[in-house]
Amino acid sequence: QVQLVESGGGLVQAGGSLRLSCAASGRTFSSFVMGWFRQAPGKERDFVAQISWSGGATLYADSVKGRFTISRDNAKNTVYLQMNSLKPEDTAVYYCAAKSVLSGVTAADYNYWGQGTQVTVSS
């Protein structure tokens, strides 16, 4: 009932910045809690950040706190992930996801997923 499409990934040197975008369609965007996850080859899909319906509450994984910022623009049905001070260990496919209830922050707690966008950080 909702479709998510990520964009903005690419190649960046360590210490650089990228901004990822996730465009949503199919249902009312403001009805959903939005999150970002990432997955490296051979690894599990890990939580990165979450933002509430209004944008008033955010949550970050310890590994990205202070470097990444999640935000949303409900008028544009879009969620963003601003990534600063990037490290090689940030290299992964980044996925946006949506859920209708503010519950847990594991991948299993989210109902809808995008296809992902590759972020590569060179050392």
Side-chain angles (χ1 to χ4, degrees), residues 1-70:
Q1 294 296 322
V2 63
Q3 295 80 45
L4 305 172
V5 180
E6 304 94 338
S7 63
L11 175 65
V12 65
Q13 291 187 339
S17 298
L18 284 173
R19 189 180 76 161
L20 306 183
S21 299
C22 175
S25 62
R27 292 184 65 181
T28 303
F29 179 72
S30 60
S31 298
F32 295 96
V33 173
M34 301 296 298
W36 286 95
F37 290 74
R38 65 187 183 185
Q39 187 169 25
K43 304 295 184 180
E44 293 187 348
R45 189 169 298 186
D46 292 330
F47 171 76
V48 175
Q50 179 179 276
I51 188 166
S52 64
W53 301 272
S54 67
T58 58
L59 186 67
Y60 297 92
D62 288 341
S63 59
V64 306
K65 187 174 295 184
R67 299 188 298 120
F68 291 10
T69 303
I70 188 171

Side-chain angles (χ1 to χ4, degrees), residues 63-116:
S63 59
V64 306
K65 187 174 295 184
R67 299 188 298 120
F68 291 10
T69 303
I70 188 171
S71 61
R72 67 190 297 163
D73 186 339
N74 289 344
K76 297 181 179 179
N77 287 359
T78 302
V79 63
Y80 304 95
L81 185 68
Q82 178 67 47
M83 304 184 293
N84 298 327
S85 302
L86 283 162
K87 305 174 181 179
E89 52 263 43
D90 295 319
T91 296
V93 176
Y94 282 71
Y95 299 88
C96 68
K99 61 180 179 179
S100 58
V101 178
L102 184 59
S103 56
V105 292
T106 69
D109 293 309
Y110 279 76
N111 307 114
Y112 306 101
W113 294 87
Q115 293 298 113

